[in-house]
Amino acid sequence: MNRPLTQATREHWDGLAAGYDDLKQRNDAYYSALKGCMGRAVPPDARGNVLDVGCGTGQVLASLNPRRGVGIDLSERMIDEARRRLASRTELAFLAIDAKAAGELGPFDCVISADTMEHVEDWRAVVHAIVDACRPGGLIVITTPNPWWTFPLWLLEKLNLKMPEGPHKFVSIRSIAKELSARKCSVKTVGTHLLVPTRLGGLGQTISHGAENLPVFRSLGVIQLVTAIKGS
């Protein structure tokens, strides 16, 4: 599968923007887990000045409660929704720009990117932009779906149990970690989370947390996550 084209990606997310948060409720276990992963990965002392690359409607950024937060997204309609839904959060700002331009906005104490790498035309260029946007010694946190889940996620989409992914091509988190290392970042954690992306009557998250530490299952979670510190 070829990398997604920028224009097709923009059109897809523009089309979903108005109902985006409602669509996420179809699989709230996944999106709650995603926020939880970000919350654990970004400690309070890294939440001063935070950039979210591929912010959608801004819900992940808002959940971190940064002192100052900036969210960027390719989709102007997503940014419109973020501004509308989070109008009372005056510490947050949202800009409709390409992820590859993130480096022009820094420096930030922390740069996050949740489930964006699979949707961009050149994910390496986006990783480089993220590094450029981060201050020396700052924190970088990136998540992206596990390629092992390509077929199950496709099936869930066809059954209308998750939102349409649109143009995408999944990326290995180890490839992203390698790119961060090449930019002189110190990679701290590489792993997966959420082996069971459903509530299962309240047991799904418990099973997932237990499996994360087992050698057989630790690479099979649907959420891939890497954290790194930018070098001086």
Side-chain angles (χ1 to χ4, degrees):
M1 183 188 298
N2 295 326
R3 296 300 307 172
L5 298 177
T6 298
Q7 183 59 31
T9 297
R10 179 187 290 109
E11 291 173 357
H12 173 77
W13 295 111
D14 276 349
L16 289 183
Y20 181 68
D21 288 339
D22 293 333
L23 284 169
K24 287 195 293 188
Q25 292 304 310
R26 293 183 182 178
N27 193 359
D28 64 326
Y30 177 87
Y31 292 102
S32 294
L34 185 62
K35 287 181 181 178
C37 286
M38 279 294 181
R40 291 188 295 274
V42 183
D45 62 3
R47 300 185 188 188
N49 194 20
V50 179
L51 174 66
D52 184 356
V53 177
C55 66
T57 58
Q59 301 305 311
V60 173
L61 177 63
S63 73
L64 293 177
N65 293 309
R67 177 175 52 80
R68 171 181 176 262
V70 177
I72 66 172
D73 201 280
L74 181 68
S75 167
E76 292 185 6
R77 292 185 182 176
M78 282 289 186
I79 292 300
D80 288 343
E81 286 295 316
R83 289 170 177 163
R84 182 179 67 83
R85 292 173 181 270
L86 296 166
S88 63
R89 299 285 298 272
T90 57
E91 78 279 16
L92 303 179
F94 297 97
L95 304 171
I97 63 174
D98 193 292
K100 295 193 297 297
E104 302 170 9
L105 303 175
F108 290 86
D109 301 316
C110 176
V111 184
I112 67 170
S113 183
D115 292 4
T116 296
M117 295 299 161
E118 67 273 21
H119 296 293
V120 299
E121 198 165 339
D122 185 348
W123 67 265
R124 289 180 176 84
V126 175
V127 170
H128 290 194
I130 285 172
V131 174
D132 290 341
C134 191
R135 67 166 175 80
L139 176 66
I140 294 168
V141 182
I142 297 171
T143 72
T144 190
N146 193 337
W148 282 97
W149 280 78
T150 298
F151 177 74
L153 291 175
W154 173 85
L155 183 60
L156 288 171
E157 182 176 324
K158 295 303 179 185
L159 294 173
N160 292 319
L161 296 175
K162 68 177 295 296
M163 78 170 67
E165 282 289 338
H168 69 280
K169 184 177 182 181
F170 294 138
V171 186
S172 161
I173 202 66
R174 295 196 177 278
S175 296
I176 295 172
K178 183 178 179 180
E179 203 67 28
L180 288 168
S181 294
R183 286 296 310 272
K184 310 301 182 185
C185 294
S186 176
V187 174
K188 297 301 182 182
T189 62
V190 179
T192 75
H193 305 270
L194 197 63
L195 183 69
V196 182
T198 182
R199 294 204 177 275
L200 276 185
L203 294 176
Q205 197 168 73
T206 301
I207 295 170
S208 292
H209 283 321
E212 286 174 9
N213 298 315
L214 299 176
V216 176
F217 298 111
R218 63 178 52 160
S219 64
L220 299 181
V222 65
I223 298 172
Q224 300 181 115
L225 183 143
V226 59
T227 66
I229 303 296
K230 181 176 177 177
S232 301

